[in-house]
Amino acid sequence: MDKVRIFQSRFFESVVPRDSREFTDLVWTPAVSNDRDASLRLMRDLMLNEGPFEAAFFIGGMEGVEDEFDLFSRRWTGTPAFPIASTGAAARILFDRYRDNILPYLSRGWENRLREEFVYRPFFEELLHL
């Protein structure tokens, strides 16, 4: 999927799963010393300045996913932001919280797929008409 770009801070390099490392467009951003928060800020700044975007997907996670969703939504107003509720955690919370904002971007039946789909690559391609 050559249209997907994933950003990851080198701060987390030792714990990034093998599957994530296999994306063809994985962008490593520098770690800022031993400062987790500063490393995340830098990664997010670099990531959000890469646009414009066709859409953004938010998967699983904890507070960081909520932060990124908020930053993305404020920076790229009008660009679809899809929390993938089936991955649970923060993405599910975001989906439930912003459901009414997400639905205008979806065709009939897609809401359930965001809640239930576990095979993501073909799902994203279909959603974005790739």
Side-chain angles (χ1 to χ4, degrees):
M1 192 175 339
D2 60 347
K3 295 186 182 213
V4 172
R5 177 170 286 166
I6 294 178
F7 284 77
Q8 184 62 63
S9 173
R10 290 224 181 259
F11 185 88
F12 301 102
E13 190 168 11
S14 65
V15 297
V16 170
R18 192 181 89 228
D19 289 350
S20 295
R21 294 172 182 273
E22 292 177 2
F23 274 85
T24 57
D25 201 356
L26 174 61
V27 177
W28 289 100
T29 61
V32 179
S33 298
N34 289 325
D35 189 332
R36 176 186 183 273
D37 292 339
S39 297
L40 285 170
R41 270 193 306 279
L42 175 61
M43 181 197 72
R44 290 173 178 148
D45 287 344
L46 293 170
M47 176 177 64
L48 291 174
N49 287 327
E50 281 286 311
F53 300 93
E54 288 183 45
F57 297 98
F58 298 86
I59 298 172
M62 294 168 57
E63 75 281 348
V65 171
E66 293 182 79
D67 294 342
E68 290 167 9
F69 184 90
D70 182 56
L71 289 167
F72 181 86
S73 297
R74 282 189 283 130
R75 171 72 168 88
W76 296 100
T77 306
T79 302
F82 299 109
I84 309 303
S86 63
T87 62
R92 178 60 181 236
I93 293 167
L94 288 168
F95 181 84
D96 291 340
R97 185 181 303 151
Y98 295 105
R99 180 184 167 276
D100 292 340
N101 297 5
I102 297 163
L103 292 181
Y105 294 106
L106 300 173
S107 299
R108 186 179 166 128
W110 282 91
E111 178 181 358
N112 287 338
R113 290 191 68 191
L114 285 171
R115 289 180 190 275
E116 300 167 4
E117 185 68 59
F118 287 102
V119 182
Y120 300 112
R121 182 179 177 151
F123 174 57
F124 295 162
E125 289 172 347
E126 188 178 345
L127 182 63
L128 296 175
H129 310 289
L130 298 176

